[in-house]
Amino acid sequence: MSIDLANQIVTGLLTGLVYSLMALGLSVIFGVVRVVNFAHGEMTALAMYAAWALFSWLELDPLIGLPLIALLLFALGYVMQRGLIDAFVSKPEHMQFILLVAVAIVMVNGSLLVFGPDAHGIQVPYGFDTYEVGPLLVDKVRLLAAVAALAISGLLMLFFRHTMTGKAIRACADNLVGAKVIGLNVKQLYAVTFGIGSACVGAAGALLAMLIDVMPSSGPELTMLAFIIVIVGGLGSMGGALLGGILIGISEVLAGYFLMPSMKSMFSFAILILVLILRPQGLMGARK
Amino acid sequence: MSSPMINRRGFLAAGAAGATILGFGGTVRAAQPLKIGLLLPLSGGLAREGQSCKRGADVTPGLLADMGMPVQLMIADTETNIDTARTRAEKLIADGAEVLIGAFDSAHTLAVAQVCEQRGIPLVVNIAAAPNITEQGFKTLFRNFPTAPKLVTEGLALMKDVFKISGTTPTKAVFLHNNDTFGTAMAGAVNKLFPTLDMPFPLVETIAYDGAARDLAVEVGKAKATGADLVLLVPHGDDCIRMIREMVKQRFEPKAVVSPGSPGMYEVQFYKTLGKYADYCMTNLPWINPKSAMSQALLKAFNKAYPDALFEMNIGFTFEAILIAADAAKRAGSNDPKAILAALPATNITEHVMIGGPIAFDAKGQNTNTRSATIQNFGGKPLVVLPSDVAEAKPVFPAPGWQQRG
C-alpha cells in the first residue's frame, strides 16, 4: 500500500469517527423513542453555528466550547421532545415525518435569516498542523476531533450500561409496557433520551465545525449522511453507528482515490443500497 | 496601488471624453432612468460572488448619473438556482425592466437568455463563461465576458510568460476542477486547448471534484501522488479554501497554484481564512485596469461605500454591464427595449474599467476585446503582475514553501 493511500485511509477513519458520533445521536433517539429525527442534520448545523459563534465572538476553541454546546443541544432536544414531539410518539409515522421535516425547514431558513447564505468556517491556531507518525502525516485537527468523538461515544456507552438512568432508558427501549408497569416515568425518560441524542449532535457539531464549513444547506446534507450511517450500521445500534461512520468515512476516501473524487458521495449511496438489499437490518442491527 | 487616483469630477470628464468619442458631444440629456433588472445569485452556493457583483452595482447609478446616463436598478436574487433565475427574469420583465443584466452562473444565464429571447428584452451578460451562451443564436444577448476557451487560452499563455520572466519552468502539472457547469466548461477547454498551445510541461492528471464535498482531503492526496510541481486549479467558491488548507496539511508543496481563469483565490474570504497561505496564488483572468481613470473613480466610490470589501473583477464587470446598457439607451435616445436592442450591436466604449480593448460586440453578441491578466496575491491583496504595461508588481515564481512563509 502506498504512503499516500495509507494517509488517505487514516484521514477517512478519523473523519468517520466524528460522523459516527453525529449518527450515534440519531440511533439513540430512534432506539428508545422510536421517532426518526429528520431534523438531525439541521440540529448538527445549529451546533456548528454555535461553535462558530463562540469561536468568532469569544475566541473559544470548539474543543473547549464543546461541553457548553452539548448542554445547549441537550436542552433543545429535551424541550423539543416534551413540548412538541411527545404528542406524536404514538401517532402514525407519516405524521412524525412531516412534523420533523417541518422543524428541519424552520431551522434551515432560520439559519439563513440569522447567519446569511455564506459558509462559515473555524480556523483554530493549530488548524494547519500535522503529526508525523512514521511515514504517515496525521492531521492534528482531525485526530483531536476523532479522539474526542471516540471518548464521548465511550462515555455514552458507559452511561447506558452503568447508571440507573441509562438502565431505565434501556428498559424503556426493551420493554415499554414493562417499564410503565414498574413505574418508570417514560415521558421524562424519552425527553432525557432525546436530550442525550441531541447532546451527541451538539458535540459532533462542535467537532465537525473544525473540519468542514457550515452553511444553511449543510443541514439536509448532514441529515442524509447520518441516515446513511445508521442504516448501514443498523438503526438503533450504537455499535452499528460507530461502524457505519468508519465504513462511510473510509469508503468515501477509497472511492475518491481509486475512482473519481466526484463519485465519493455516490459511493456512500451505493453501499446503502447494497446493505438494504443484502442485510436490511444493517450490519449490526438485530434481525426481526 | 500605485495608480493615479481620480475624483468624481475627473470621472465625469473621462465619461464625457468617452461620450465625445462615441459622438454625443458631452451633452447631458434629462432622461427617464433606464430600468435595469439585475439577476444575481445573492444567496446559495454562489452568494459570495453574487453579493460582490451587487456591491459593484450599488455604486454604479451615481457614477452613471454624472455621465448623463440615469439608471434605476431592480435587483433580483437567483438563489443560485436555475428555475429561480428563470422565474425572477419573468418577474423583472413583468415589473417593467427594459434591460436585464446577469446572471453570473452560465446555466442561470442560459435560462434567463431564453426568457429574454421570447420577450424581446436585451440581456447584457456581466459574467458567465460557457461558450454555448453565444453559440445558440440568441438575438437579444450581449456578453461582455470572455468564453471559457478564451479564458483558458489566455490563462495558459500568461503562465508561459510567468515562467519566462522567472526563469523557472515546472516539470509537470495536475489539473483540479470543480465539476459544476463553469468548472466542467473550463475543464473541457483546458483539455482541448492544452495540447495545441505548446505548453512547456505535461498535464499528468485531471481530477474533477464536487465543490460541495464536505472536505477535499482525498482530492489533494490524489494530486500529491502524481508528483506534479504545478497545480492548475479551477475552483468556484469556497472550495479553493478547502483545497489550499488540505495542501498545507498534507505538505503538498507545488511551485505554484495557478488558476487559468476562475473565481475564488482573489476573494476576501480566501485571504481572511488562509492568511499567509493565500499569498502567491495566481489567477489568470480579466481584471480591473489599475491604470484606467474610470476604474480609479469606481474604486473611490466603491471604497467609500464598502471600505472593508475587496475591489475585484465581479465589481468591474457588473459596472461595465450596466454601462453598456445605459450607453445603448443613450445612443438610442430611448429606453424602449427594441431601440436598445438596435443600438447594442454598434457599442464601442473605449473608456472603461477592465483591462482590454474597446467594448464592442461581434455578430454573435460576444465582446472579443477582453484581455486576461495575471494577478498574484501579496499580503492579502491581489495585484496585477502581467501584462507588464498595467502591472503593479513583478510575479513571484516559484512560490515560497508553506512553512517558509513568515
Side-chain angles (χ1 to χ4, degrees), chain B residues 1-4 158 285-293 295-296 352-357 371-376 382-395:
Chain B
M1 288 187 188
S2 58
S3 307
L158 281 162
L285 80 173
W287 196 251
I288 295 169
N289 183 351
K291 300 193 172 169
S292 143
S295 67
Q296 289 304 313
H352 57 103
V353 301
M354 303 301 294
I355 293 170
R371 184 176 160 208
S372 285
T374 297
I375 56 163
Q376 189 166 26
L383 296 180
V384 176
V385 294
L386 280 174
S388 318
D389 58 330
V390 291
E392 302 165 284
K394 286 192 172 169

Side-chain angles (χ1 to χ4, degrees), chain B residues 123-152:
Chain B
L123 170 63
V124 181
V125 179
N126 61 337
I127 296 167
N132 57 345
I133 290 173
T134 40
E135 295 297 330
Q136 299 197 5
F138 291 124
K139 303 287 182 226
T140 55
L141 184 143
F142 296 84
R143 172 162 61 175
N144 183 40
F145 193 81
T147 60
K150 185 164 194 263
L151 274 175
V152 171

Side-chain angles (χ1 to χ4, degrees), chain B residues 168-224:
Chain B
T168 308
T169 302
T171 55
K172 51 185 172 177
V174 60
F175 176 38
L176 293 132
H177 71 89
N178 191 314
N179 69 353
D180 64 1
T181 313
F182 171 79
T184 307
M186 288 292 286
V190 167
N191 289 323
K192 187 178 170 189
L193 295 169
F194 194 91
T196 68
L197 294 172
D198 191 30
M199 296 302 288
F201 53 84
L203 202 57
V204 288
E205 190 161 352
T206 296
I207 301 172
Y209 64 88
D210 178 4
R214 285 178 291 275
D215 74 73
L216 297 170
V218 68
E219 286 80 353
V220 170
K222 201 167 178 175
K224 186 183 176 187

Side-chain angles (χ1 to χ4, degrees), chain A residues 127 130 132 212 252 259 264, chain B residues 214-215 222 238 249 251:
Chain A
T130 45
E132 279 182 52
I212 58 177
E252 282 196 356
L259 302 171
K264 284 191 300 191
Chain B
R214 285 178 291 275
D215 74 73
K222 201 167 178 175
D238 296 325
K249 286 180 179 184
R251 302 187 192 177

